Amino acid sequence: MSENVIELRNLSRKFKGFELNVNLDIKKGYITGLIGGNGAGKSTTIKLIMNLIKPDNGDIKVFGLDYKTHEKEIKERIGFVYDSNVFYEGLNLKDIKRIVAPAYKRWDEALFSQYIDRFELPLNKSIKTFSKGMQMKASLALALSHHSELIIMDEPTAGLDPMFRREFLHLLQQIMLDEQRSILFSTHITTDLERIADYIALMQYGHVLFNEALETLTEQYFIIKGGLDLLDRDTAKYFIHIERWSNTFSALTNRLSEVDNLFGDTVVVEQASLEDIMYYLKGAKQYVQLN
Amino acid sequence: MYNLIRRDLILQKKQLIFYVPFILLFIITGKNPALIYLLSSILIPFNAYAYDEKTQTNILLNSLPYTRKEIVTARYIGAIIFMIISMVITNLLLVIFGQSFTISQMAIGSGLFILFSATAFPLFYIIKPGHISTVLMITLIFLIFTGPSLYFYIVEQLPFITDIVNRLSDVTLYSSATVFVIFSYSISWLITIVIYQRKVF
């Protein structure tokens, strides 16, 4: 049985033209990817977890603690990395560290120097001269140097070039060698998660559609391709969503054995990528209502 | 808390050197010391707000292990500390330039600064970012130029007020002013906490 590092229960927050309703458990000791299109509610969920936004209703527990009574204890144990630079632009990394470090009781100066060396970051250059990748590394160094147990990242790989993204993901894997640590990572670049995530939570229209182990998902969802003539009212019900072309179709299913019995060799079966799952589920609004 | 206050100095370390010639300018032009105290006290805390009105800064501060109450309180305590430092520096400069100053000028300068801060601080969290500094600077400059003539106008037109003030002993006058200033600042602090706690970043 695994413990949850974050528990969101019936969490709701209303904005103009958007409503968030979330139930979500993030497992301790794993990397969880939070995926979804733009405006699905990923950033809002992360802001709620960071207490930057307060919910209208519902409970947020981080490390089993409540923000109302344990705000500082919670944040002491979180490392954060955001997609935009939240650090004062005109300052260099040394000054930023002088502002951030004393906030944490468990700040480890030696560890910080190690990360600075390893990431090859200049301490005396103003942060606005940093490339996007360097800024991300700087954030990560600050997030890791106080022995954080939970790392929360909002779109950390957005705007990074592919080489750098790989390096960054590799880094995260190394960080996870410490088994007590958990990472929550929002992204719309789903291929990143296929490399490193243990769990995937998909958000759509302010709801969490599913939160499953990556393996379960890849065992569960398949893309079926075949001729349009195979589709009729009876066969279509085996699919979550169907895309029709001029005389072929491709569709997402989570009922492979039945599809297999029905169509046999007349269709092509492919493993669905996260992007496929996200795309087809977005097309299938009725699926949203079923869950 | 201390770290939050120290942050203002780290942020402004490059500007700090320019504050001294700024104060000097007022001393050389022979402005009233009370006014100089007010202006020099304003520099650090209000410049700090230029940074803090950015959403990014608030995201950073609120992601660090601080409570919103602490962030606001640091602002209010910091302003008083920076006021005291500025007044010490101003006094040093006044002495160097052979100008005199009185305790009552210091009291008026600091009293005005605290009242000004008590009004302005909550506004920083209400008015949209980007506008507030301009609004405050214009208000302040306007007050500096029109304030004295407005004062004399009131004195001339409303003699009964001056009458009451004159009849009060210095002790009563200063102690009631002090109570009023402290009360305003405390109320302002509580209001800002409530406003800041409701903010969305």
Side-chain angles (χ1 to χ4, degrees):
Chain A
M1 206 190 87
S2 56
E3 249 181 277
N4 296 325
V5 65
I6 301 174
E7 287 176 355
L8 308 181
R9 293 274 178 278
N10 304 316
L11 202 61
S12 69
R13 183 70 160 88
K14 243 188 192 154
F15 296 94
K16 264 183 208 154
F18 178 71
E19 199 180 333
L20 191 90
N21 271 297
V22 171
N23 277 296
L24 183 63
D25 289 341
I26 304 298
K27 299 226 165 23
K28 187 179 167 186
Y30 294 98
I31 299 183
T32 300
L34 188 60
I35 62 172
N38 293 327
K42 304 189 296 288
S43 285
T44 308
T45 304
I46 284 188
K47 284 181 170 179
L48 281 161
I49 296 170
M50 290 303 296
N51 204 29
L52 296 173
I53 296 176
K54 310 225 160 144
D56 296 332
N57 283 302
D59 289 318
I60 303 174
K61 286 241 164 69
V62 185
F63 308 113
L65 303 170
D66 199 303
Y67 268 111
K68 283 183 201 91
T69 47
H70 294 85
E71 172 150 27
K72 293 178 78 159
E73 290 87 336
I74 294 172
K75 285 177 179 171
E76 184 77 43
R77 294 159 72 182
I78 294 181
F80 55 89
V81 175
Y82 298 125
D83 66 333
S84 61
N85 177 30
V86 294
F87 303 107
Y88 304 94
E89 286 200 327
L91 295 191
N92 58 36
L93 193 50
K94 206 163 146 191
D95 282 336
I96 290 169
K97 185 212 72 185
R98 285 165 71 194
I99 290 175
V100 171
Y104 293 105
K105 288 194 195 96
R106 290 192 290 177
W107 181 266
D108 186 336
E109 193 58 43
L111 190 59
F112 181 72
S113 313
Q114 263 179 45
Y115 281 117
I116 294 304
D117 286 347
R118 190 161 140 208
F119 297 166
E120 298 172 339
L121 292 167
L123 279 171
N124 294 312
K125 268 190 177 169
S126 121
I127 202 126
K128 66 180 166 214
T129 66
F130 280 27
S131 69
K132 179 89 187 173
M134 282 162 78
Q135 279 183 15
M136 214 37 87
K137 282 183 172 176
S139 297
L140 196 59
L142 290 163
L144 292 172
S145 298
H146 56 98
H147 300 281
S148 50
E149 295 154 55
L150 167 65
I151 298 173
I152 293 182
M153 301 192 281
D154 191 10
E155 300 276 359
T157 53
L160 296 185
D161 68 53
M163 288 298 288
F164 213 106
R165 275 223 313 274
R166 277 199 179 216
E167 196 189 328
F168 187 79
L169 296 173
H170 185 63
L171 258 170
L172 292 188
Q173 270 170 324
Q174 289 181 329
I175 292 164
M176 287 304 289
L177 293 178
D178 173 1
E179 286 179 2
Q180 291 305 304
R181 208 165 235 167
S182 322
I183 296 183
L184 174 65
F185 176 149
S186 86
T187 182
H188 58 265
I189 306 167
T190 50
T191 47
D192 288 349
L193 294 172
E194 278 159 350
R195 291 205 186 94
I196 62 159
D198 303 300
Y199 287 87
I200 302 290
L202 173 66
M203 289 197 72
Q204 223 169 72
Y205 310 111
H207 297 270
V208 176
L209 281 196
F210 60 70
N211 178 18
E212 301 258 20
L214 182 61
E215 289 164 42
T216 319
L217 285 175
T218 47
E219 283 164 12
Q220 205 178 338
Y221 289 98
F222 294 89
I223 296 289
I224 311 294
K225 290 176 177 168
L228 261 186
D229 53 312
L230 295 171
L231 286 181
D232 56 42
R233 195 180 279 258
D234 286 331
T235 56
K237 69 178 184 200
Y238 295 102
F239 301 109
I240 292 163
H241 182 68
I242 304 167
E243 289 277 310
R244 291 160 212 267
W245 314 105
S246 50
N247 43 34
T248 59
F249 76 92
S250 49
L252 182 75
T253 184
N254 56 355
R255 299 164 75 174
L256 183 68
S257 56
E258 288 158 276
V259 171
D260 214 28
N261 283 337
L262 196 66
F263 299 118
D265 286 341
T266 57
V267 292
V268 180
V269 177
E270 287 172 6
Q271 198 147 61
S273 67
L274 280 177
E275 197 178 306
D276 292 329
I277 298 173
M278 210 167 112
Y279 175 77
Y280 283 91
L281 285 183
K282 179 133 191 161
K285 280 195 189 165
Q286 71 276 20
Y287 186 84
V288 179
Q289 273 136 28
L290 285 174
N291 283 258
Chain B
M1 188 80 73
Y2 160 73
N3 295 315
L4 281 166
I5 298 169
R6 200 181 69 126
R7 176 182 63 102
D8 289 341
L9 290 179
I10 297 175
L11 280 171
Q12 297 183 54
K13 64 177 181 185
K14 282 183 189 143
Q15 285 116 293
L16 287 177
I17 328 157
F18 295 101
Y19 293 163
V20 172
F22 183 80
I23 299 171
L24 269 181
L25 184 78
F26 283 94
I27 293 178
I28 291 165
T29 53
K31 293 270 181 258
N32 187 319
L35 177 66
I36 303 173
Y37 292 128
L38 169 64
L39 287 174
S40 59
S41 305
I42 282 174
L43 291 172
I44 298 176
F46 282 78
N47 253 314
Y49 265 113
Y51 289 94
D52 281 4
E53 65 180 12
K54 290 188 185 133
T55 312
Q56 305 295 11
T57 302
N58 284 303
I59 291 179
L60 171 66
L61 289 183
N62 283 283
S63 299
L64 292 172
Y66 295 121
T67 61
R68 294 191 179 196
K69 208 182 264 175
E70 283 175 326
I71 293 169
V72 171
T73 306
R75 214 6 104 237
Y76 278 75
I77 295 177
I80 299 296
I81 293 174
F82 292 131
M83 178 191 81
I84 293 168
I85 296 172
S86 308
M87 289 178 72
V88 169
I89 293 171
T90 307
N91 282 348
L92 274 176
L93 291 171
L94 283 167
V95 168
I96 292 169
F97 283 81
Q99 297 198 18
S100 61
F101 56 90
T102 63
I103 297 288
S104 75
Q105 283 167 336
M106 287 176 71
I108 292 169
S110 56
L112 286 176
F113 166 73
I114 295 173
L115 285 180
F116 183 67
S117 305
T119 321
F121 286 176
L123 291 180
F124 272 107
Y125 297 106
I126 298 171
I127 297 178
K128 265 191 185 160
H131 300 288
I132 179 73
S133 322
T134 332
V135 171
L136 285 174
M137 278 306 139
I138 292 170
T139 317
L140 188 68
I141 289 166
F142 179 76
L143 282 178
I144 287 166
F145 285 101
T146 60
S149 29
L150 195 72
Y151 169 74
F152 289 117
Y153 178 79
I154 292 173
V155 171
E156 278 172 26
Q157 300 295 314
L158 303 167
F160 68 95
I161 291 183
T162 8
D163 239 33
I164 296 170
V165 172
N166 280 336
R167 239 178 277 155
L168 291 174
S169 70
D170 276 4
V171 179
T172 328
L173 188 64
Y174 279 105
S175 47
S176 45
T178 308
V179 168
F180 175 69
V181 165
I182 292 172
F183 179 74
S184 313
Y185 203 59
S186 314
I187 293 293
S188 163
W189 170 59
L190 294 175
I191 291 174
T192 308
I193 287 178
V194 172
I195 296 171
Y196 196 64
Q197 269 173 341
R198 288 185 187 169
K199 288 219 86 123
V200 166
F201 301 114

